[in-house]
Amino acid sequence: MQKKITIALDMMSGDHGLSSALPAAITCMEKMDDIYLLLIGDQEQINNNIPPKIQKLQNKKYSVLHTNEYISMDEDILSAIRSKKNSSMRLSITAVKDKTADACVSAGNTGALMALSKIILKTISGIDRPAICTALPTKKGHMHMLDLGANIESTSNHLYQFAIMGSALVQSLEESLNPRIGLLNIGSEEFKGNETIKNAGTMMQSSSLNYGGYVEGDDIFEGNYDVIVTDGFAGNIALKSIEGVANIISHFIKNEFKKNLYNKFSALISFPVMKGVRKKVDPRRYNGASFLGLQGVVVKSHGGADSYAFARAIRTAYYEVKNGVLGKIESLIESKLSK
């Protein structure tokens, strides 16, 4: 009998809550034979919005864990953690700790999700701080970038640990046996950057990692690196800037095609090309950031994710579990840090 992969879903958090989480859950149940979803949120709202054909799958493909508490996007993190012991976010993470779920997915407040994950799941031995990592497209395929916002300030040793975790993730996913690591900096020359960056570069250079040197912002998408390491401050700005550029380019193209009859005709001719380009750079396609360094699989969906994007986050968690990523990362981190 095929083993089910159980994913706990925080159904109530994020900008859209149930309206994006539930359709995403239904899509994944229909497309993945071995997935089982633990839907955590307001039971009445969830049941009232599940189509009859899906309701027949209850206890076969999904179950509902009721709670009417959730952490809003603008809520004070410390207050929410202390007062909301039964929030949909907390219960999702607790399900991973209790082994009733193999992973959890939430579109909620990033700070609250990270804080609760660290408190409940703890970090892997040898790792001081978890990091947020996601895949981004490049000219040659895709690469993984971390940290994208978990740690505003990072030491050289933290950046070194991020490099190990990123390398371990790529190896675990069997995308590369010897991932090439780049360190994001304001220039590629050795004398550029602050002391934290320079020291981190020295640590990576002297390690067994396949370290390729500094990466400038305009080199991120060249495809020369499998992993790009940065602190959470620069990483989050880079990620949001990337999303913004993708959106504004799409906006300009749409407006140009609508300008006159000739442009509209050109749009019809170029539609297949534009559709292909849009698919490759669509930020929703890369939704689902992994919290690396925890003793459990936690995936953060973008707060404003629609149902398609949320489903991508669920798929990220699903494949991390299916590939045994957590165990492989723990093993690789232990071997790297022991040298």
Side-chain angles (χ1 to χ4, degrees):
M1 186 176 177
Q2 193 176 33
K3 183 182 182 299
K4 294 285 188 180
I5 293 174
T6 302
I7 312 293
L9 300 185
D10 174 5
M11 303 295 288
M12 310 305 291
S13 299
D15 294 337
H16 307 300
L18 206 62
S19 63
S20 64
L22 189 54
I26 292 171
T27 296
C28 291
M29 282 189 275
E30 291 176 332
K31 292 185 176 181
M32 299 177 184
D33 294 334
D34 58 342
I35 197 170
Y36 187 93
L37 299 179
L38 180 57
L39 310 181
I40 302 178
D42 189 291
Q43 188 170 28
E44 183 177 358
Q45 290 186 45
I46 292 172
N47 288 336
N48 287 343
N49 287 280
I50 295 179
K53 68 173 184 177
I54 301 298
Q55 289 181 7
K56 296 177 182 179
L57 300 176
Q58 188 165 7
N59 298 323
K60 296 178 182 178
K61 295 283 288 185
Y62 81 93
S63 56
V64 181
L65 177 60
H66 173 71
T67 181
N68 54 15
E69 284 187 3
Y70 68 95
I71 297 175
S72 64
M73 297 299 281
D74 58 353
E75 199 162 346
D76 178 74
I77 296 173
L78 289 177
S79 175
I81 291 174
R82 290 169 181 164
S83 63
K84 296 188 173 179
K85 302 297 184 181
N86 291 308
S87 69
S88 53
M89 182 185 291
R90 180 186 282 270
L91 293 179
S92 299
I93 301 167
T94 301
V96 177
K97 180 188 178 183
D98 295 343
K99 307 299 182 184
T100 55
D102 300 300
C104 73
V105 178
S106 174
N109 184 301
T110 303
L113 184 64
M114 177 58 77
L116 283 170
S117 297
K118 288 170 67 177
I119 292 168
I120 296 170
L121 297 175
K122 313 300 182 186
T123 55
I124 295 170
S125 178
I127 296 298
D128 297 326
R129 297 181 180 181
I132 301 176
C133 179
T134 195
L136 292 171
T138 70
K139 292 179 180 179
K140 300 176 183 178
H142 68 270
M143 58 82 183
H144 289 79
M145 189 171 179
L146 75 165
D147 176 26
L148 298 177
N151 305 282
I152 301 302
E153 295 181 355
S154 301
T155 65
S156 300
N157 194 52
H158 293 147
L159 295 175
Y160 175 57
Q161 291 177 12
F162 298 165
I164 294 173
M165 290 192 291
S167 179
L169 175 64
V170 172
Q171 290 181 63
S172 299
L173 295 174
E174 299 180 355
E175 295 174 356
S176 173
L177 295 177
N178 192 25
R180 193 160 190 253
I181 312 294
L183 183 59
L184 190 65
N185 199 4
I186 59 171
S188 58
E189 298 86 354
E190 291 297 319
F191 63 86
K192 288 191 174 180
N194 56 38
E195 290 305 309
T196 299
I197 295 291
K198 291 177 182 177
N199 291 336
T202 300
M203 294 174 71
M204 293 179 202
Q205 185 69 57
S206 60
S207 73
S208 59
L209 292 169
N210 183 14
Y211 177 60
Y214 295 147
V215 181
E216 293 187 78
D218 56 355
D219 290 330
I220 289 175
F221 301 108
E222 290 299 315
N224 296 323
Y225 298 89
D226 300 296
V227 178
I228 294 179
V229 175
T230 182
D231 62 65
F233 185 82
N236 191 264
I237 291 175
L239 179 65
K240 297 297 173 59
S241 298
I242 290 164
E243 293 173 350
V245 169
N247 287 331
I248 197 169
I249 289 175
S250 175
H251 171 78
F252 286 153
I253 290 173
K254 287 179 181 178
N255 283 352
E256 287 300 317
F257 278 141
K258 293 176 181 177
K259 269 191 173 180
N260 52 55
L261 189 61
Y262 176 78
N263 284 13
K264 290 180 180 178
F265 180 70
S266 299
L268 290 174
I269 297 174
S270 60
F271 178 74
V273 175
M274 298 307 301
K275 184 179 179 181
V277 171
R278 181 182 180 183
K279 183 178 180 180
K280 288 181 179 178
V281 301
D282 186 353
R284 301 179 306 159
R285 189 181 179 197
Y286 300 93
N287 185 50
S290 305
F291 281 11
L292 298 184
L294 296 167
Q295 296 181 43
V297 176
V298 177
V299 172
K300 170 69 172 70
S301 169
H302 194 290
D306 61 11
S307 60
Y308 172 79
F310 198 93
R312 297 295 297 189
I314 297 173
R315 287 173 61 88
T316 296
Y318 169 85
Y319 282 110
E320 285 194 20
V321 175
K322 196 174 185 68
N323 291 335
V325 166
L326 180 59
K328 293 175 182 177
I329 285 178
E330 288 176 330
S331 177
L332 287 166
I333 286 174
E334 183 179 358
S335 66
K336 291 288 185 184
L337 290 177
S338 64
K339 292 182 179 180

